[in-house]
Structures are given as structure tokens and as C-alpha cells.
Amino acid sequence: MSIISLVLQASFVVQMVMVILMALSFMSWWHIFSKHFTIAKAKKSTEEFEDRFWSGSDLAGLYEHVKRSHSIGMEKIFESGFGEFLKLRQKGGMELSDVMEGTRRAMRASCQRELDYLDKHNAFLASVGSVSPYIGLFGTVWGIMYAFKGLGNVGQATLATVAPHIAEALVATAIGLFAAIPAVVAYNRFAYDVDRLANRFDTFIEEFSNVLQRQVR
């Protein structure tokens, strides 16, 4: 009994369950690879930007460089914060505390947008990881019910008669686990990476605010 033959011989409901699970698995793997490269890019960009920022680069020059590039992560926060700082300073007549408060608000808003972007589709992975085993279990239960219903038409039930139908039903559970396990592992890993980036962004906002305050005074 090959896996393919078991799938083909399963009842219609069980086959539909398998199709749904395979679709969920395909979509979760798509998001896993997409998010992996997105988060890796954000981490690399953040590390490179921190090196340039703390190397003593001129803030105005760094700002122009970031504006010209496709910024992401910490670069985007810096661009929003320094841009708002320059606009508020050009207005004139504002207290330093008001200028810094506006700058922090701009950086906080940019930080939240970046985190929302990095956290995108994580809820889908969590849903696949939690729901897929139960969808597979539903297919298994339905398949076993279908198998026992078929046994009612058989005069004598033997292991050879029952085994193929039970195996067909269990394939649904196996596919459910195949879809759920990678999704759960990826979700936990991405949540950890995004949380670490969030901490680095928060730290940068406070440190950059202090740098700007020292320059104004």
C-alpha cells in the first residue's frame, strides 16, 4: 500500500481534508521562506546601519543616504525621526521638549509600522500550526467511520479487510502533522526574531533621542 494509492482510495470527504491540508502546508511554506528572507534582510540592514551610525557619521549625510536607499527596519525609524526633527526645528519657536516629543512620536509610529510589516503572516502560521492537526483528526475520524460502515456489508471482518481503510484514514492525520509542525517551529522562530528586533528598535529610539538632545543643547 503506497501513500498515493491510500490517498486515491480514500473517501471523498477524507480526500477533501487532505487537499485542504496540502494547500495550507503549501501556503505556510511560502510564508516561511518569504518571512525568512524579509527578517534576515531586516537584521542585516539593522546591523549595518548601527555600525554606520555609531562610527561617528554625520547625521545629515547619513539621513540623505538613507533617504536615497530602500530603507527597512532601523533605517526607516532613523529616517522618520530625523526628518521630523528637522521639520520641527525649521518651524522655530518650539520648546526643545516639544521637538523631542514630536521626534519620538514619529519614531514610535515608524517602529510600529516596521514591526507590523515584519510580523505579517505570523498569525497565519500560528493558525496553521494549531488547526491543522484537528483538521487531520477530523479526516481520520471520518475515514474510520466510513471504514466501519463498509464493514457492515462484509460477512466476516478480518485485519486484511480493516487495515487498508484505517491506513487511508490515518494518512489525513499524518498530513495534518506535516502541515502543523513546520508552521509552529517557524512561528516561534519568527516571533523570537521580531521580538529581538523590537527591543533593538526601542533601544535605538532612546539612544538616538539622547544624541539629538545633546546636539541641540
Side-chain angles (χ1 to χ4, degrees), residues 5-132:
S5 65
L6 291 174
V7 172
L8 295 176
Q9 293 170 15
S11 66
F12 176 76
V13 173
V14 176
Q15 287 180 340
M16 288 299 99
V17 167
M18 293 177 183
V19 169
I20 292 172
L21 290 172
M22 291 302 295
L24 290 175
S25 178
F26 174 79
M27 292 173 64
S28 66
W29 277 106
W30 175 271
H31 290 314
I32 286 171
F33 283 112
S34 175
K35 284 183 65 62
H36 169 75
F37 290 117
T38 299
I39 293 178
K41 181 181 178 181
K43 290 166 68 175
K44 181 180 179 182
S45 173
T46 295
E47 290 171 359
E48 291 176 350
F49 175 76
E50 280 188 316
D51 290 339
R52 291 198 304 270
F53 181 83
W54 294 113
S55 65
S57 300
D58 175 59
L59 292 181
L62 184 59
Y63 174 68
E64 292 299 325
H65 170 76
V66 170
K67 280 181 63 177
R68 291 192 300 268
S69 63
H70 182 64
S71 56
I72 185 175
M74 191 176 289
E75 286 183 332
K76 201 71 175 178
I77 297 171
F78 168 79
E79 180 184 351
S80 299
F82 196 68
E84 184 69 15
F85 176 79
L86 292 178
K87 282 193 294 185
L88 294 176
R89 289 286 293 172
Q90 287 173 358
K91 286 183 178 180
M94 295 184 66
E95 296 290 335
L96 175 60
S97 60
D98 295 332
V99 173
M100 295 311 304
E101 182 62 28
T103 302
R104 287 194 186 93
R105 280 200 303 268
M107 288 193 287
R108 291 289 180 192
S110 179
C111 176
Q112 190 57 55
R113 285 194 297 268
E114 291 301 301
L115 292 177
D116 288 343
Y117 173 70
L118 294 174
D119 204 39
K120 187 170 61 175
H121 302 308
N122 238 19
F124 174 80
L125 294 177
S127 298
V128 170
S130 60
V131 171
S132 292

Side-chain angles (χ1 to χ4, degrees), residues 132-148:
S132 292
Y134 294 104
I135 297 176
L137 184 60
F138 168 77
T140 297
V141 172
W142 187 275
I144 292 175
M145 289 170 56
Y146 184 81
F148 279 110

Side-chain angles (χ1 to χ4, degrees), residues 167-182:
E168 293 165 12
L170 290 174
V171 170
T173 297
I175 297 176
L177 294 175
F178 176 78
I181 293 173

